[in-house]
């Protein structure tokens, strides 16, 4: 990539803010140029080729879709990859700006100098597996890994063009035979789902090319190559030993038999090249560059962007850690084009790679150890008037806020119509950022962490459920396994000190979601404490933190006989308050100081009742109409509920006599250009 040629007539002299200085190359997707930033730094810019009838190669309405699809590429951790800097459109043509790596491609080196041997080959294998691990952990599948997409830079190999094939797939289904045939996996040639195992197959083929000068299934006619890939065994030449065994495993016809990139990297590194205290990807980068991997600073660990790997089953509580892109401020999450949600979830980013608790790259997020829970002071101040309005991105929902509000909408998920997307909110700027479709985000009270849960559990291919913890400032991520797939976890709820995350565990095997327990994740250690409980009659209700947060509570029963049952953190029943109505809130039915809880009244239809937590006596009741949704508490003297009888619907703050104090949000009952949809909102207590 170091050699450039002068620009041709018609080549751009500027792309966005970048001055184009030369032409690097050209391919089926578009042209690549060398350019300078306003600060004088060199970058590579790929400008996509126009398609038939003047359409861009990324399909109808492509600029917006292209920008959505490429946003994830910027969040790949920069381990042995050419970091994506920016994406945009210029004169209607999409482009991608990436770090400029000076050096030839692997294809050029092997063609000119012959196969790589011994140490050079080993470093290439380690570096490219490190890159694939980072790419997969960012929710991306490369889909076109091959010798011409590996640059041999001065500091080791770098993988380029990751995820571009996905961006250019106009079907947006995650299927289709996109790639370079001699390096394509059987399932890719047959038009199946292209998942991380396909990248491992391409990696194995590329390593055979590096070691022998030819791909393992030949380079003659296309039908012959395809037939060998589908039906014949690979020709590995004289490759032997650990590397040869690993490559053979990666070239299995069965995707399930191929190792995940992380596991393959672990096999190559071994204990000799991975000193204690060094995270996996840093060690891989150091080995690829021919350096000694530096140990992590005391008390510091690294964490991943979300992976897209298919690992072997692991044990509850397993985690993976790898450095994320600090500039992102948010993790890499798969972003899918509308209309392909269920299928794309399988192929594009909700399969996560797990490591083992306590290994050298783990240790969990750095966070204060959990101590004794302090009593929460009761706050009863009336809400101040709204001082600002904020429109939710992509929707017509409008927030009415005051900086003194003790709660704030911190995330939302929209499901329906032509768009399905989740957003989280920066606690400082107040801006909302898309996190990916069908993810259930929950921000910690201190704003440091966001918990991410996949919403469609059955569409994720791994046999277990998980939660992803994202450190917002650094982009570090920790993926924590919760339960085996028969059980599913929803309703994330943070403790008031942001140190623990509570999730409700459901059994959905009968098609009806039934709570059977809960899990508590300790953020400091990423340890998971599961508990089973007697949830007879709970009927889909979520578990919630109880006063003091040493116990939890769960509604049981329906109608007038419904009650509230309290459990210790081992799942043992400690107390029951019967006949109080249905305590069901999207946040928490128990007030912040724990003195009261709210239910739908057992005896008056369309009313809310407030009860004393200590005695179980009714404190007040008031009418809110026949169509409402209980959200929770504004503070200890004001409740929040959503009036669903109007259009727009409203989130209302009311006192304990039912008097409206303020409207927090106006939510049109139909969003997305008039097509019906559902918005799921979450609030964070500040």
């Amino acid at each position: 990539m170091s050699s450039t040629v002068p620009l041709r007539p018609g080549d751009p002299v500027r792309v966005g803010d970048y001055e184009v200085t030369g032409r690097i190359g050209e391919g089926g997707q578009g042209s690549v140029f060398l350019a300078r930033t306003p600060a004088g730094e060199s970058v590579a810019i790929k400008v996509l080729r126009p398609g038939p009838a003047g359409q861009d190669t990324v399909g109808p309405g492509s600029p917006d879709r292209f920008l959505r699809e490429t946003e994830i590429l910027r969040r790949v951790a920069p381990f042995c990859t050419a970091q994506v800097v920016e994406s945009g459109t210029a004169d209607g043509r999409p482009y991608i700006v990436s770090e400029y790596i000076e050096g030839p491609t692997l294809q050029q080196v092997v063609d000119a100098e012959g196969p790589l041997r011994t140490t050079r080959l080993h470093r290439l294998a380690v570096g490219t597996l490190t890159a694939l691990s980072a790419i997969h952990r960012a929710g991306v599948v490369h889909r076109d890994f091959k010798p011409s997409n590996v640059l041999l830079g001065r500091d080791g190999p770098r993988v380029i063009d990751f995820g571009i094939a996905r961006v250019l797939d106009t079907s947006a289904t995650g299927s289709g035979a996109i790639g370079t045939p001699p390096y394509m996996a059987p399932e890719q040639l047959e038009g199946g789902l292209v998942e991380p195992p396909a990248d491992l197959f391409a990696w194995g083929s590329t390593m055979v090319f590096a070691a022998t000068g030819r791909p393992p299934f030949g380079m003659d006619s296309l039908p012959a190559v395809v037939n060998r890939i589908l039906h014949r065994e690979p020709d590995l030449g004289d490759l032997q030993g650990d590397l040869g065994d690993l490559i053979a495993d990666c070239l299995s016809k069965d995707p399930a038999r191929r190792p995940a990139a992380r596991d393959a990297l672990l096999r190559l590194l071994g204990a000799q090249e991975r000193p204690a205290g060094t995270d996996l990807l840093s060690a891989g980068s150091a080995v690829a560059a021919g350096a000694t991997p530096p140990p992590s600073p005391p008390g510091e660990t690294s964490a991943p962007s979300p992976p897209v790997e298919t690992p072997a089953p692991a044990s509850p509580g397993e985690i993976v850690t790898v450095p994320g892109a600090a500039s992102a401020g948010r993790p890499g999450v798969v972003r899918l084009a509308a209309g392909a949600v269920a299928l794309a979830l399988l192929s594009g980013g909700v399969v996560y790679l797990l490591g083992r608790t306590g290994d050298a790259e783990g240790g969990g997020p750095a966070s204060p150890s959990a101590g004794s829970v302090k009593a929460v002071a009761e706050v009863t101040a009336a809400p101040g008037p709204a001082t600002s309005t904020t429109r939710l991105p992509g929707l017509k929902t409008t927030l009415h806020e005051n900086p003194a509000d003790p709660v704030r909408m911190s995330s939302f998920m929209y499901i329906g119509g032509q768009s399905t997307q989740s957003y989280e909110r920066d606690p400082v700027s107040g801006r909302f950022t898309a996190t990916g479709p069908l993810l259930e985000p929950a921000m910690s009270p201190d704003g440091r962490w966001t918990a991410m849960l996949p919403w469609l559990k059955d569409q994720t291919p791994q046999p277990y459920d998980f939660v992803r913890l994202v450190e917002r400032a650094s982009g570090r991520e920790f993926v924590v396994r919760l339960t085996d797939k028969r059980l599913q976890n929803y309703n994330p709820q943070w403790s008031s000190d942001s140190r623990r995350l509570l999730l409700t565990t459901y059994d959905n095997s009968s098609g009806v979601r039934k709570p059977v327990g809960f899990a508590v994740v300790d953020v400091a250690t990423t340890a998971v404490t599961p508990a089973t409980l007697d949830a007879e009659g709970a009927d889909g209700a979520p578990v919630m933190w109880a006063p003091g947060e040493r116990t939890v509570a769960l509604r049981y029963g329906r109608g007038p006989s419904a009650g509230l049952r309290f459990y210790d953190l081992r799942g043992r029943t400690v107390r029951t308050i019967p006949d109080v109505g249905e305590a069901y809130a999207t946040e928490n039915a128990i007030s912040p100081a724990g003195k009261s809880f709210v239910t739908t009244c057992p005896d008056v239809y369309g009313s809310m009742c407030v009860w004393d937590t200590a005695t179980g006596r009714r404190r007040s009741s008031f009418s809110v109409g026949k169509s409402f949704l209980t959200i929770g508490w504004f503070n200890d003297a004001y409740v929040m509920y959503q009036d669903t009888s109007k259009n727009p619907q409203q989130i209302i703050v009311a006192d304990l006599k039912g008097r409206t104090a303020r409207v927090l949000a106006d939510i049109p009952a139909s969003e997305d250009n008039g097509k019906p949809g559902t918005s799921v909102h979450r609030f964070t207590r500040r």
Side-chain angles (χ1 to χ4, degrees):
M1 195 167 176
S2 58
S3 61
T4 60
V5 298
L7 296 176
R8 302 173 183 172
D11 283 346
V13 295
R14 293 195 68 84
V15 176
D17 295 330
Y18 304 92
E19 178 189 359
V20 179
T21 61
R23 171 181 282 269
I24 294 173
E26 189 169 8
Q29 300 167 348
S31 300
V32 183
F33 300 96
L34 179 64
R36 281 197 296 261
T37 69
E41 299 174 343
S42 294
V43 292
I45 300 181
K46 171 167 283 191
V47 180
L48 301 189
R49 185 183 309 281
Q55 292 181 352
D56 291 327
T57 55
V58 290
S62 59
D64 288 342
R65 182 195 156 198
F66 176 81
L67 294 176
R68 290 196 306 268
E69 296 284 344
T70 55
E71 178 63 25
I72 180 60
L73 305 184
R74 299 176 59 186
R75 295 169 178 170
V76 174
F79 289 96
C80 301
T81 62
Q83 191 69 16
V84 174
V85 176
E86 183 185 347
S87 60
T89 57
D91 298 326
R93 293 181 63 183
Y95 64 85
I96 297 175
V97 183
S98 64
E99 177 187 6
Y100 174 67
I101 308 298
E102 188 169 1
T105 68
L106 174 63
Q107 182 78 49
Q108 292 169 335
V109 168
V110 173
D111 288 347
E113 304 174 14
L116 277 57
R117 300 294 182 189
T118 59
T119 301
R120 200 176 181 195
L121 178 62
H122 178 69
R123 288 177 179 172
L124 172 73
V126 170
T128 48
L129 278 177
T130 302
L132 283 180
S133 295
I135 290 166
H136 291 173
R137 289 174 177 180
V140 177
V141 181
H142 193 296
R143 295 168 64 105
D144 196 19
F145 188 94
K146 57 187 178 182
S148 60
N149 278 336
V150 177
L151 296 177
L152 300 184
R154 295 176 180 176
D155 57 350
R158 301 286 194 98
V159 173
I160 62 173
D161 274 3
F162 46 84
I164 303 302
R166 169 69 177 93
V167 174
L168 299 182
D169 179 7
T170 57
S171 69
T173 63
S175 63
I178 294 180
T180 304
Y183 302 95
M184 292 169 66
E187 66 270 20
Q188 199 169 2
L189 290 169
E190 293 174 332
L193 292 174
V194 182
E195 297 180 311
D199 283 348
L200 271 295
F201 189 96
W203 175 86
S205 298
T206 299
M207 292 306 102
V208 173
F209 170 82
T212 67
R214 51 179 170 69
F217 300 97
M219 278 289 289
D220 47 336
S221 70
L222 180 58
V225 171
V226 171
N227 180 67
R228 293 187 199 109
I229 291 175
L230 294 176
H231 305 295
R232 303 287 182 85
E233 292 303 310
D235 181 1
L236 303 186
D238 59 358
L239 273 168
Q240 298 177 0
D242 293 341
L243 180 57
D245 292 342
L246 176 60
I247 290 172
D249 290 345
C250 290
L251 292 176
S252 171
K253 310 293 185 193
D254 182 359
R257 298 181 65 87
R258 299 172 206 151
R262 175 185 180 276
D263 296 334
L265 180 56
L266 282 170
R267 285 171 61 174
L268 281 188
L269 284 178
Q272 291 80 12
E273 295 181 288
R274 189 180 173 217
T278 306
D279 68 83
L280 181 61
L281 295 196
S282 293
S285 294
V287 170
T292 301
S296 301
E300 181 177 311
T301 55
S302 305
S305 301
V308 191
E309 307 219 35
T310 338
S315 304
E318 289 187 335
I319 63 169
V320 61
T321 63
V322 78
S327 61
R330 235 226 51 71
V333 200
V334 173
R335 304 183 56 166
L336 308 176
V341 173
L343 183 57
L345 278 171
L346 283 170
S347 64
V350 284
V351 188
Y352 294 82
L353 188 153
L354 305 177
R356 294 202 174 274
T357 302
D359 76 3
E361 67 196 283
S367 138
S369 59
S372 58
V373 180
K374 296 181 180 179
V376 178
E378 189 172 17
V379 178
T380 60
T387 59
S388 66
T389 59
T390 302
R391 175 74 69 86
L392 295 188
L395 300 178
K396 299 176 183 178
T397 295
T398 302
L399 307 181
H400 308 286
E401 300 176 307
N402 185 305
D405 290 346
V407 295
R408 191 187 203 195
M409 189 179 292
S410 57
S411 63
F412 72 93
M413 176 172 60
Y414 178 72
I415 305 171
Q418 297 181 1
S419 64
T420 300
Q421 186 60 273
S422 299
Y423 290 81
E424 71 168 355
R425 191 178 197 181
D426 186 283
V428 177
S429 68
R431 290 191 294 268
F432 286 91
T433 303
T435 62
L438 293 170
L439 293 171
E440 184 179 11
M443 187 179 296
S444 62
D446 62 7
R448 180 178 178 184
W449 299 97
T450 300
M452 294 282 185
L453 284 171
W455 187 255
L456 293 183
K457 310 290 188 179
D458 294 334
Q459 302 297 335
T460 59
Q462 76 279 26
Y464 41 78
D465 196 14
F466 54 86
V467 63
R468 183 156 51 88
L469 302 177
V470 182
E471 187 178 47
R472 302 189 70 262
S474 67
R476 296 191 311 151
E477 303 187 8
F478 296 78
V479 179
V480 183
R481 175 177 166 178
L482 299 170
T483 54
D484 289 334
K485 183 59 76 65
R486 182 181 67 85
L487 301 179
Q488 303 174 348
N489 297 271
Y490 290 95
N491 307 105
Q493 192 177 110
W494 286 93
S495 61
S496 59
D497 60 6
S498 302
R499 295 174 177 177
R500 293 176 295 166
L501 182 70
L502 174 68
L503 303 116
T504 305
T505 304
Y506 295 92
D507 184 347
N508 197 35
S509 58
S510 65
V512 178
R513 190 184 296 179
K514 177 183 178 182
V516 294
F518 59 89
V520 177
V521 179
D522 186 289
V523 179
T525 63
T526 61
V528 180
T529 304
T532 58
L533 46 75
D534 174 16
E536 186 66 30
D539 193 22
V543 176
M544 52 194 165
W545 287 112
E549 297 176 349
R550 295 187 182 89
T551 58
V552 297
L554 178 66
R555 185 205 80 196
Y556 69 89
R558 286 279 188 167
S561 61
L564 197 62
R565 188 178 291 133
F566 294 81
Y567 307 86
D568 64 18
L569 296 186
R570 295 183 179 181
R572 297 174 299 193
T573 301
V574 295
R575 183 187 176 206
T576 298
I577 304 178
D579 305 324
V580 292
E582 299 178 13
Y584 192 108
T586 59
E587 296 296 323
N588 194 324
I590 301 173
S591 65
K595 295 184 177 180
S596 305
F597 64 93
V598 64
T599 69
T600 56
C601 289
D603 50 359
V604 181
Y605 181 65
S607 294
M608 297 175 68
C609 282
V610 178
W611 307 83
D612 186 285
T613 308
T615 65
R617 295 176 181 172
R618 186 181 306 200
R619 295 184 58 188
S620 67
S621 61
F622 50 90
S623 175
V624 289
K626 296 181 179 180
S627 181
F628 69 95
L629 173 68
T630 305
I631 293 176
W633 293 80
F634 182 80
N635 61 25
D636 293 282
Y638 291 83
V639 296
M640 299 186 298
Y641 68 94
Q642 184 169 335
D643 184 345
T644 58
S645 65
K646 303 175 182 177
N647 190 7
Q649 300 176 14
Q650 292 183 322
I651 295 180
I652 293 173
V653 180
D655 65 16
L656 302 190
K657 294 183 178 180
R659 295 174 296 197
T660 298
R662 197 172 93 222
V663 173
L664 285 186
D666 290 304
I667 306 171
S670 295
E671 293 277 16
D672 202 18
N673 297 322
K675 300 200 174 187
T678 300
S679 296
V680 180
H681 310 96
R682 295 197 66 92
F683 290 81
T684 295
R685 187 161 301 280
R686 301 191 287 179

